[in-house]
Amino acid sequence: MDGGGKSWQFECPLQTGYRYCKWEIVEKDMDRCIPHWQHAAIQGHPQSRYGLGIHEFNSRDIELAVRHFMISTKMGDEYSLNAIKEMFMEGHATKAQYAEALKGYQTALEETKSPQRE
């Protein structure tokens, strides 16, 4: 099987989760959305971690929200980095957490660089 099939399997839980969370195609149902995002997060998808972080923040589980954002930031997700920065500015995250997120984000960006791209 080529990489195309694997990509579809990787994206499917994330996209299904978005459909349930954003009223696309099906009625909005967060109880069905979250497991799809969790499945995609386990597979390593940073956007699903970001979505879970937003959900946990809105549910007032700040500690879990920060953990989700930290993981996806270290995968190079700029939205999650901005979320941690905003949480730091509002007093929901520590300076150390923001510094760790920034360092992880920079490391992720460096890992994606190659001599062929420059």
Side-chain angles (χ1 to χ4, degrees):
M1 175 183 278
D2 65 10
K6 200 172 195 177
S7 175
W8 177 84
Q9 292 171 347
F10 187 70
E11 293 291 336
C12 185
L14 173 70
Q15 297 305 323
T16 303
Y18 274 125
R19 287 188 179 104
Y20 283 114
C21 292
K22 298 192 180 240
W23 298 37
E24 294 176 13
I25 301 174
V26 295
E27 184 176 332
K28 185 174 181 176
D29 185 347
M30 293 304 287
D31 289 337
R32 295 182 76 180
C33 166
I34 299 305
H36 289 286
W37 279 356
Q38 289 170 335
H39 181 72
I42 290 168
Q43 292 178 336
H45 202 289
Q47 288 175 320
S48 62
R49 288 276 178 193
Y50 174 76
L52 289 168
I54 294 293
H55 172 72
E56 296 301 342
F57 183 82
N58 290 337
S59 298
R60 302 293 183 236
D61 191 341
I62 304 304
E63 184 178 323
L64 186 53
V66 169
R67 285 193 307 205
H68 282 301
F69 291 141
M70 292 293 279
I71 292 168
S72 53
T73 296
K74 292 176 182 179
M75 297 168 75
D77 185 63
E78 188 174 0
Y79 291 108
S80 295
L81 176 62
N82 291 333
I84 290 177
K85 178 182 178 182
E86 189 173 322
M87 290 176 74
F88 166 63
M89 293 170 59
E90 294 176 357
H92 298 295
T94 66
K95 184 176 183 177
Q97 288 171 319
Y98 177 57
E100 181 184 343
L102 188 57
K103 183 178 178 183
Y105 178 75
Q106 290 169 338
T107 300
L109 290 184
E110 289 172 12
E111 290 175 355
T112 62
K113 290 183 180 178
S114 69
Q116 293 85 7
R117 291 184 183 181
E118 295 178 358

